[in-house]
Amino acid sequence: MSGISDREQVILEGHDAARLRHRWLLEFGSRSEFNDPSLEYRRLFAELLGTFMLVLVAAGGGVLHAKGQISLTAAVVAPGLMVMAIILFAGAVSGAHLNPVVSIAFALRGDFPWKRLPGYVVVQLLGATLACLFLLAVFGDVEHLGATLPGPGYAAWQALLMEIALTGALVSVILGTASAAQNVGTIAALGVGGYIALAGLWAAPVSGTSMNPVRSFGPALVAGDWTAYWVYVAGPLIGAVLAVGAALVLRGPGGDAHARAAASGTLASEAETSPPRP
């Protein structure tokens, strides 16, 4: 005998269900909150903070590597680990885009409103700039504040091709693990963060593995060195568009529940009968 009455059992089951839903929303977020116009300030602040943290680690790692205080391996793995952390704490708020081409890719898929794109891009640029101003205050203008540049012995066109390929793969990983326009949950954190670290481990000597125009914008603006900056705008943009094209082939068009179900591997017949995710 458990000593629990039927009424108490019902109350406990209801409590467990409520707690489960609360934990679900903490990890994956509420679609209604993500789309609520009155909460845009919260999403923009999350993007500002997240981009600041990402660029602080990415450009800061470049600075410390240039000073000979950390290895190249540490410098390229750290941004991936930081992205994992940002997705876990901010993904349910803003989607943890942290990158204009990611926001554009979600918009092209129909999962993110175009009218919200300018705000995201502006705060991403601001977050990157603030991070580099912080690095300038701490270290001074060391090695152009961790700017991404074609590596020694590599031409701009080679760095461009590398950025296209790397960003195309990155955005493919994001589109395959995201919930509509949100990088949320452990799977997305491991997939996206792990890919960023992996890309840096083998490709950093060629292009610096930016894959993000604002990551390159911050050091270029604050240090005043725009050498080959066009590579780090054109490359990620082209790569993102190619990734959206690949997603169209793999998953069909986005922007609706059926596309999200297809992206999750759910059969169409199951998507028609299953209740939508919160």
Side-chain angles (χ1 to χ4, degrees):
M1 294 293 291
S2 64
I4 299 177
S5 67
D6 291 343
R7 180 175 180 277
E8 289 172 330
Q9 183 66 33
V10 170
I11 293 174
L12 285 175
E13 289 176 354
H15 176 268
D16 290 343
R19 185 172 63 175
L20 178 61
R21 177 174 175 78
H22 177 67
R23 290 174 62 87
W24 174 275
L25 291 178
L26 282 177
E27 182 171 4
F28 294 102
S30 165
R31 294 300 305 170
S32 60
E33 288 187 2
F34 183 66
N35 294 321
D36 185 352
S38 68
L39 297 177
E40 187 70 2
Y41 75 94
R42 183 180 296 171
R43 293 187 289 266
L44 293 178
F45 179 73
E47 283 295 300
L48 173 69
L49 179 60
T51 308
F52 173 87
M53 294 170 64
L54 170 59
V55 176
L56 182 67
V57 169
V63 169
L64 292 176
H65 172 63
K67 290 168 66 70
Q69 295 179 336
I70 64 172
S71 67
L72 178 60
T73 299
V76 299
V77 169
L81 296 176
M82 177 55 77
V83 167
M84 287 186 191
I86 296 168
I87 289 174
L88 290 174
F89 91 82
V93 180
S94 69
H97 296 189
L98 316 176
N99 185 337
V101 302
V102 172
S103 301
I104 290 171
F106 282 135
L108 287 172
R109 287 282 294 164
D111 292 327
F112 188 70
W114 285 101
K115 65 182 180 180
R116 288 170 57 185
L117 182 64
Y120 266 52
V121 173
V122 168
V123 296
Q124 289 160 359
L125 290 168
L126 180 58
T129 302
L130 291 175
C132 290
L133 287 172
F134 178 89
L135 293 174
L136 180 65
V138 174
F139 300 109
D141 190 359
V142 176
E143 289 297 318
H144 309 290
L145 294 176
T148 49
L149 300 166
Y154 292 98
W157 68 267
Q158 291 172 298
L160 173 67
L161 292 179
M162 185 61 74
E163 287 294 308
I164 291 172
L166 293 175
T167 309
L170 171 62
V171 175
S172 293
V173 171
I174 290 172
L175 294 178
T177 59
S179 173
Q182 290 179 280
N183 289 309
V184 288
T186 306
I187 297 300
L190 291 174
V192 178
Y195 174 81
I196 291 172
L198 176 63
L201 285 172
W202 76 272
V206 180
S207 68
T209 56
S210 172
M211 303 178 284
N212 185 340
V214 302
R215 184 265 177 264
S216 299
F217 174 83
L221 178 67
V222 177
D225 185 355
W226 297 92
T227 303
Y229 178 69
W230 66 272
V231 167
Y232 302 98
V233 176
L237 280 172
I238 296 171
V241 171
L242 292 175
V244 171
L248 179 64
V249 175
L250 292 172
R251 302 178 179 86
D256 56 34
H258 290 281
R260 290 195 290 274
S264 302
T266 305
L267 296 176
S269 60
E270 295 174 345
E272 292 171 359
T273 58
S274 300
R277 286 179 56 179

